Amino acid sequence: MAQAVTVRVPREMVGAAADGAFKVVLAVVFVAGAAPLGELLGAPVWLMAVSGVALLVGGAVEIGHLRSRPMSTYLKLMIGYDACWVLTAAIGLLMAWRGSAAGGEVWMGYQVIAPLVFAAVLTAAKPVRLPSQARRDTPA
């Protein structure tokens, strides 16, 4: 009789996976709705499409490194990313309320740069060392 194997996934890993998945979903929305969303936000269609591609890359890299990078690195990057996201959104809203047409462009510009920086820093981060790797390194 086969015995069920229970795999315990750390809560932080679920959060990092959800963050990456959200970026991928948002990327699809930005690319698929580039024209109407661009008009709504006051951003050109090309910027919407480029931000969608950047978010797709960022989300895919985030999901791809789930098991190979420390969750502490993920947590720091997600906090920084989201804090700057809120700040950029507030700046964009303030610009729009003051009559500037560039508020949406500022916010969407962040959507192009931030996921790529996130992906680059995460990729450059030191990989986690698995217990099986540590056993191979010790002399017998």
Side-chain angles (χ1 to χ4, degrees), residues 79-112:
I79 289 170
Y81 182 98
D82 291 344
C84 292
W85 188 88
V86 169
L87 180 62
T88 306
I91 291 169
L93 281 171
L94 181 62
M95 291 173 74
W97 282 331
R98 301 194 95 208
S100 173
E105 291 177 358
V106 167
W107 189 68
M108 292 312 299
Y110 179 79
Q111 303 305 318
V112 172

Tab-separated table of all heavy atoms in Angstrom, residues 79-112:
chain	number	residue	atom	x	y	z
A	79	ILE	N	9.441	43.839	-0.221
A	79	ILE	CA	9.130	45.033	0.582
A	79	ILE	C	9.587	46.291	-0.153
A	79	ILE	O	8.845	47.267	-0.264
A	79	ILE	CB	9.765	44.935	1.986
A	79	ILE	CG1	9.037	43.878	2.815
A	79	ILE	CG2	9.737	46.292	2.690
A	79	ILE	CD1	9.731	43.535	4.123
A	80	GLY	N	10.813	46.273	-0.667
A	80	GLY	CA	11.317	47.432	-1.406
A	80	GLY	C	10.508	47.705	-2.665
A	80	GLY	O	10.158	48.854	-2.954
A	81	TYR	N	10.195	46.658	-3.409
A	81	TYR	CA	9.423	46.787	-4.649
A	81	TYR	C	8.050	47.397	-4.358
A	81	TYR	O	7.633	48.350	-5.014
A	81	TYR	CB	9.273	45.408	-5.295
A	81	TYR	CG	8.528	45.397	-6.606
A	81	TYR	CD1	9.222	45.380	-7.806
A	81	TYR	CD2	7.137	45.371	-6.658
A	81	TYR	CE1	8.558	45.350	-9.019
A	81	TYR	CE2	6.466	45.352	-7.859
A	81	TYR	CZ	7.181	45.337	-9.040
A	81	TYR	OH	6.514	45.317	-10.229
A	82	ASP	N	7.364	46.831	-3.378
A	82	ASP	CA	6.007	47.296	-3.077
A	82	ASP	C	5.990	48.695	-2.464
A	82	ASP	O	5.093	49.486	-2.748
A	82	ASP	CB	5.283	46.303	-2.167
A	82	ASP	CG	4.966	44.992	-2.887
A	82	ASP	OD1	5.020	44.960	-4.136
A	82	ASP	OD2	4.669	43.998	-2.195
A	83	ALA	N	6.972	49.014	-1.640
A	83	ALA	CA	7.038	50.354	-1.058
A	83	ALA	C	7.245	51.402	-2.154
A	83	ALA	O	6.576	52.447	-2.167
A	83	ALA	CB	8.174	50.432	-0.035
A	84	CYS	N	8.142	51.116	-3.081
A	84	CYS	CA	8.367	52.049	-4.196
A	84	CYS	C	7.169	52.089	-5.139
A	84	CYS	O	6.873	53.132	-5.721
A	84	CYS	CB	9.643	51.673	-4.945
A	84	CYS	SG	11.139	51.949	-3.978
A	85	TRP	N	6.481	50.975	-5.276
A	85	TRP	CA	5.261	50.907	-6.100
A	85	TRP	C	4.210	51.867	-5.541
A	85	TRP	O	3.607	52.644	-6.285
A	85	TRP	CB	4.753	49.468	-6.122
A	85	TRP	CG	3.636	49.188	-7.070
A	85	TRP	CD1	3.750	48.828	-8.370
A	85	TRP	CD2	2.233	49.221	-6.787
A	85	TRP	NE1	2.505	48.622	-8.918
A	85	TRP	CE2	1.556	48.862	-7.961
A	85	TRP	CE3	1.491	49.497	-5.649
A	85	TRP	CZ2	0.170	48.785	-8.039
A	85	TRP	CZ3	0.114	49.427	-5.725
A	85	TRP	CH2	-0.528	49.079	-6.909
A	86	VAL	N	4.002	51.822	-4.230
A	86	VAL	CA	3.033	52.712	-3.581
A	86	VAL	C	3.472	54.163	-3.722
A	86	VAL	O	2.659	55.044	-4.053
A	86	VAL	CB	2.845	52.334	-2.087
A	86	VAL	CG1	2.053	53.392	-1.340
A	86	VAL	CG2	2.164	50.980	-1.969
A	87	LEU	N	4.737	54.439	-3.510
A	87	LEU	CA	5.263	55.800	-3.639
A	87	LEU	C	5.082	56.323	-5.065
A	87	LEU	O	4.627	57.451	-5.275
A	87	LEU	CB	6.739	55.834	-3.242
A	87	LEU	CG	7.437	57.186	-3.319
A	87	LEU	CD1	6.791	58.175	-2.359
A	87	LEU	CD2	8.908	57.031	-3.016
A	88	THR	N	5.398	55.497	-6.049
A	88	THR	CA	5.256	55.908	-7.445
A	88	THR	C	3.793	56.119	-7.804
A	88	THR	O	3.453	57.057	-8.530
A	88	THR	CB	5.897	54.864	-8.380
A	88	THR	OG1	7.238	54.650	-7.971
A	88	THR	CG2	5.882	55.328	-9.814
A	89	ALA	N	2.916	55.265	-7.299
A	89	ALA	CA	1.480	55.431	-7.555
A	89	ALA	C	0.983	56.743	-6.937
A	89	ALA	O	0.202	57.481	-7.560
A	89	ALA	CB	0.697	54.250	-6.986
A	90	ALA	N	1.445	57.054	-5.730
A	90	ALA	CA	1.047	58.307	-5.087
A	90	ALA	C	1.553	59.519	-5.869
A	90	ALA	O	0.821	60.504	-6.050
A	90	ALA	CB	1.571	58.344	-3.647
A	91	ILE	N	2.776	59.441	-6.346
A	91	ILE	CA	3.328	60.538	-7.154
A	91	ILE	C	2.524	60.692	-8.443
A	91	ILE	O	2.182	61.814	-8.846
A	91	ILE	CB	4.830	60.302	-7.448
A	91	ILE	CG1	5.643	60.452	-6.169
A	91	ILE	CG2	5.331	61.249	-8.531
A	91	ILE	CD1	7.078	59.988	-6.287
A	92	GLY	N	2.206	59.578	-9.093
A	92	GLY	CA	1.400	59.624	-10.311
A	92	GLY	C	0.025	60.226	-10.072
A	92	GLY	O	-0.458	61.047	-10.862
A	93	LEU	N	-0.615	59.841	-8.972
A	93	LEU	CA	-1.927	60.411	-8.634
A	93	LEU	C	-1.824	61.903	-8.339
A	93	LEU	O	-2.666	62.692	-8.777
A	93	LEU	CB	-2.520	59.691	-7.415
A	93	LEU	CG	-3.160	58.345	-7.680
A	93	LEU	CD1	-3.507	57.654	-6.366
A	93	LEU	CD2	-4.397	58.508	-8.544
A	94	LEU	N	-0.813	62.291	-7.607
A	94	LEU	CA	-0.614	63.707	-7.300
A	94	LEU	C	-0.415	64.507	-8.586
A	94	LEU	O	-0.992	65.593	-8.753
A	94	LEU	CB	0.587	63.883	-6.366
A	94	LEU	CG	0.908	65.305	-5.937
A	94	LEU	CD1	-0.258	65.902	-5.157
A	94	LEU	CD2	2.169	65.337	-5.096
A	95	MET	N	0.365	63.967	-9.502
A	95	MET	CA	0.581	64.648	-10.786
A	95	MET	C	-0.729	64.779	-11.556
A	95	MET	O	-1.011	65.835	-12.137
A	95	MET	CB	1.627	63.890	-11.621
A	95	MET	CG	3.029	63.964	-11.054
A	95	MET	SD	4.190	62.906	-11.951
A	95	MET	CE	4.379	63.846	-13.453
A	96	ALA	N	-1.529	63.716	-11.553
A	96	ALA	CA	-2.813	63.753	-12.267
A	96	ALA	C	-3.754	64.769	-11.630
A	96	ALA	O	-4.440	65.512	-12.339
A	96	ALA	CB	-3.443	62.367	-12.263
A	97	TRP	N	-3.809	64.814	-10.309
A	97	TRP	CA	-4.682	65.779	-9.624
A	97	TRP	C	-4.251	67.218	-9.883
A	97	TRP	O	-5.068	68.123	-9.870
A	97	TRP	CB	-4.706	65.520	-8.121
A	97	TRP	CG	-5.588	64.366	-7.732
A	97	TRP	CD1	-6.696	63.923	-8.364
A	97	TRP	CD2	-5.391	63.524	-6.608
A	97	TRP	NE1	-7.210	62.844	-7.718
A	97	TRP	CE2	-6.434	62.573	-6.616
A	97	TRP	CE3	-4.452	63.466	-5.595
A	97	TRP	CZ2	-6.567	61.591	-5.652
A	97	TRP	CZ3	-4.587	62.472	-4.636
A	97	TRP	CH2	-5.638	61.555	-4.671
A	98	ARG	N	-2.962	67.408	-10.124
A	98	ARG	CA	-2.464	68.758	-10.397
A	98	ARG	C	-2.556	69.118	-11.876
A	98	ARG	O	-2.076	70.145	-12.292
A	98	ARG	CB	-1.034	68.899	-9.890
A	98	ARG	CG	-0.973	68.619	-8.375
A	98	ARG	CD	0.284	69.042	-7.755
A	98	ARG	NE	0.044	70.381	-7.216
A	98	ARG	CZ	0.968	71.286	-7.067
A	98	ARG	NH1	2.191	71.040	-7.432
A	98	ARG	NH2	0.685	72.459	-6.553
A	99	GLY	N	-3.157	68.218	-12.659
A	99	GLY	CA	-3.402	68.520	-14.063
A	99	GLY	C	-2.370	68.015	-15.043
A	99	GLY	O	-2.487	68.236	-16.243
A	100	SER	N	-1.343	67.318	-14.567
A	100	SER	CA	-0.314	66.805	-15.469
A	100	SER	C	-0.803	65.532	-16.149
A	100	SER	O	-1.454	64.695	-15.538
A	100	SER	CB	0.965	66.498	-14.685
A	100	SER	OG	1.908	65.849	-15.504
A	101	ALA	N	-0.476	65.379	-17.396
A	101	ALA	CA	-0.831	64.177	-18.141
A	101	ALA	C	0.226	63.084	-17.977
A	101	ALA	O	0.060	61.989	-18.502
A	101	ALA	CB	-1.005	64.520	-19.611
A	102	ALA	N	1.292	63.356	-17.255
A	102	ALA	CA	2.402	62.406	-17.151
A	102	ALA	C	2.304	61.453	-15.962
A	102	ALA	O	3.156	60.593	-15.797
A	102	ALA	CB	3.717	63.170	-17.077
A	103	GLY	N	1.270	61.551	-15.145
A	103	GLY	CA	1.148	60.685	-13.966
A	103	GLY	C	1.123	59.213	-14.315
A	103	GLY	O	1.800	58.397	-13.687
A	104	GLY	N	0.344	58.857	-15.339
A	104	GLY	CA	0.280	57.463	-15.769
A	104	GLY	C	1.594	56.981	-16.345
A	104	GLY	O	1.992	55.828	-16.150
A	105	GLU	N	2.281	57.865	-17.043
A	105	GLU	CA	3.579	57.494	-17.611
A	105	GLU	C	4.609	57.234	-16.517
A	105	GLU	O	5.427	56.322	-16.636
A	105	GLU	CB	4.067	58.583	-18.555
A	105	GLU	CG	3.242	58.678	-19.827
A	105	GLU	CD	3.686	59.798	-20.740
A	105	GLU	OE1	4.617	60.547	-20.377
A	105	GLU	OE2	3.098	59.923	-21.823
A	106	VAL	N	4.557	58.026	-15.463
A	106	VAL	CA	5.489	57.825	-14.343
A	106	VAL	C	5.239	56.461	-13.710
A	106	VAL	O	6.171	55.678	-13.483
A	106	VAL	CB	5.339	58.952	-13.291
A	106	VAL	CG1	6.055	58.604	-11.994
A	106	VAL	CG2	5.842	60.267	-13.850
A	107	TRP	N	3.978	56.157	-13.452
A	107	TRP	CA	3.636	54.899	-12.805
A	107	TRP	C	3.974	53.711	-13.707
A	107	TRP	O	4.530	52.719	-13.257
A	107	TRP	CB	2.160	54.889	-12.411
A	107	TRP	CG	1.803	53.734	-11.551
A	107	TRP	CD1	2.201	53.508	-10.267
A	107	TRP	CD2	0.976	52.632	-11.916
A	107	TRP	NE1	1.676	52.328	-9.805
A	107	TRP	CE2	0.906	51.773	-10.800
A	107	TRP	CE3	0.282	52.290	-13.059
A	107	TRP	CZ2	0.184	50.596	-10.800
A	107	TRP	CZ3	-0.452	51.117	-13.057
A	107	TRP	CH2	-0.498	50.287	-11.943
A	108	MET	N	3.663	53.827	-14.984
A	108	MET	CA	3.960	52.736	-15.903
A	108	MET	C	5.467	52.616	-16.138
A	108	MET	O	5.971	51.511	-16.338
A	108	MET	CB	3.226	52.922	-17.233
A	108	MET	CG	1.720	52.765	-17.119
A	108	MET	SD	1.181	51.300	-16.205
A	108	MET	CE	1.857	49.998	-17.209
A	109	GLY	N	6.176	53.717	-16.092
A	109	GLY	CA	7.634	53.660	-16.204
A	109	GLY	C	8.232	52.834	-15.075
A	109	GLY	O	9.180	52.064	-15.288
A	110	TYR	N	7.669	52.979	-13.882
A	110	TYR	CA	8.111	52.160	-12.752
A	110	TYR	C	7.867	50.683	-13.044
A	110	TYR	O	8.689	49.827	-12.704
A	110	TYR	CB	7.392	52.576	-11.461
A	110	TYR	CG	7.806	51.743	-10.280
A	110	TYR	CD1	9.008	51.991	-9.630
A	110	TYR	CD2	7.019	50.686	-9.833
A	110	TYR	CE1	9.414	51.211	-8.557
A	110	TYR	CE2	7.421	49.903	-8.764
A	110	TYR	CZ	8.616	50.163	-8.130
A	110	TYR	OH	9.021	49.388	-7.078
A	111	GLN	N	6.733	50.391	-13.691
A	111	GLN	CA	6.384	49.009	-14.014
A	111	GLN	C	7.357	48.405	-15.026
A	111	GLN	O	7.427	47.188	-15.159
A	111	GLN	CB	4.961	48.912	-14.571
A	111	GLN	CG	3.881	49.470	-13.682
A	111	GLN	CD	3.879	48.860	-12.291
A	111	GLN	OE1	4.039	47.672	-12.122
A	111	GLN	NE2	3.710	49.698	-11.293
A	112	VAL	N	8.067	49.227	-15.762
A	112	VAL	CA	9.068	48.724	-16.703
A	112	VAL	C	10.383	48.458	-15.972
A	112	VAL	O	11.001	47.405	-16.142
A	112	VAL	CB	9.309	49.728	-17.857
A	112	VAL	CG1	10.486	49.301	-18.714
A	112	VAL	CG2	8.055	49.889	-18.702
